[in-house]
Amino acid sequence: MDCFKTYYDFLVSENEKYNLTSITDYNEVTIKHFEDSLALGKAINLSKVTTLVDVGTGAGFPGVPLKIVYPHLKVTLIEPTGKKCVFLNQLVLKCDLKDVIIVNDRAENCSSLRETFDVATSRAVGSLSMLLELCIPLLKVNGVLVAMKGPDFEEELKGITHALNCLHASVVRITPYELSSGMGKRTLITIRKNEATAKEYPRPFATMKKKPL
Ligand code: SAM
């Protein structure tokens, strides 16, 4: 069975019901969603990773394409919108994916998942500073966050020094890449968690927004 074909067909057929994506053309979905999700493998060696969390996965990007290509991964998808979780649960059954946990909640509420994952990732969810606060607490010490960003990441990167200090994390790699068929430039920012996270993080979402680290 071609999981990506099943994924595409289901994404497009359920899109109206669940408001999953603005991209529905086959080529565009293949490149901007599937290929882009799999680009995470350019930043880290996923064959050596066991547990991965995708924060704000929406319709499953990048977590589900990664699970399809790296079936050994134990993937947790965090998504607060209930109807997107309904879609994800059905998709996982359709593609017969094992070891995928879908958590219908906001990342900052997932205290039972603290210090659990080797890798955290997130695409199109928030500023780098906010992603750090949402994702770093979920990582084991020495785990990495791979933030998926566009080409204009420099300004955001300059603004995260305080967040990195508060969360005991450091930037280890910047990986620029280009999608096929000229569909855009992207950047992976790999950030390592160096020490356990203080209990005060993550702060409530309203505080994170009002007073970013
Ligand atoms: N990652 C997917 C992608 O790249 O297509 C979805 C991106 S969508 C623009 C942002 C998603 O982040 C939404 O599905 C939203 O519900 C989720 N989200 C927003 N705040 C969140 C939070 N605090 N914790 C977890 N997910 C969150």
Side-chain angles (χ1 to χ4, degrees):
M1 180 187 66
D2 180 350
C3 272
F4 283 105
K5 178 73 171 65
T6 306
Y7 196 169
Y8 171 76
D9 288 344
F10 195 50
L11 179 74
V12 171
S13 72
E14 301 300 280
N15 197 28
E16 233 172 74
K17 206 178 340 171
Y18 299 122
N19 193 18
L20 300 165
T21 178
S22 57
I23 302 169
T24 52
D25 171 74
Y26 180 76
N27 257 338
E28 275 198 81
V29 169
T30 301
I31 295 173
K32 291 186 176 170
H33 284 326
F34 298 157
E35 182 186 304
D36 191 35
S37 295
L38 296 173
L40 200 99
K42 296 180 193 292
I44 49 168
N45 183 353
L46 283 160
S47 63
K48 293 195 173 153
V49 172
T50 305
T51 51
L52 179 143
V53 61
D54 179 7
V55 170
T57 191
F61 306 119
V64 174
L66 288 169
K67 175 65 193 178
I68 294 170
V69 171
Y70 302 92
H72 72 281
L73 287 176
K74 292 179 192 303
V75 170
T76 297
L77 307 170
I78 299 181
E79 174 50 53
T81 307
K83 58 185 182 176
K84 291 181 183 172
C85 291
V86 172
F87 168 81
L88 290 168
N89 274 301
Q90 291 174 344
L91 176 68
V92 161
L93 288 176
K94 271 187 180 289
C95 289
D96 197 24
L97 301 174
K98 309 291 183 217
D99 284 326
V100 177
I101 295 171
I102 296 158
V103 179
N104 182 196
D105 208 340
R106 305 183 68 87
E108 65 272 26
N109 297 338
C110 295
S111 50
S112 63
L113 299 177
R114 283 179 81 90
E115 316 271 338
T116 305
F117 299 97
D118 302 321
V119 173
T121 185
S122 192
R123 190 183 80 156
V125 173
S127 68
L128 204 45
S129 159
M130 187 179 287
L131 284 189
L132 280 165
E133 191 164 355
L134 290 175
C135 297
I136 294 290
L138 300 173
L139 290 171
K140 296 175 187 167
V141 173
N142 291 324
V144 292
L145 162 64
V146 185
M148 308 191 75
K149 289 284 171 184
D152 306 318
F153 64 94
E154 305 271 4
E155 276 307 308
E156 253 191 287
L157 200 58
K158 280 184 202 154
I160 61 165
T161 310
H162 185 243
L164 290 171
N165 287 337
C166 292
L167 297 160
H168 305 300
S170 48
V171 177
V172 290
R173 203 173 304 117
I174 308 282
T175 312
Y177 63 98
E178 209 164 332
L179 294 174
S180 304
S181 308
M183 287 207 194
K185 295 183 177 181
R186 304 281 189 271
T187 314
L188 300 167
I189 303 175
T190 306
I191 294 167
R192 184 191 298 117
K193 169 168 172 166
N194 300 316
E195 289 176 35
T197 310
K199 287 278 183 290
E200 66 192 278
Y201 305 115
R203 298 164 300 158
F205 193 73
T207 316
M208 270 188 249
K209 272 203 104 168
K210 209 166 137 198
K211 284 184 154 192
L213 285 177

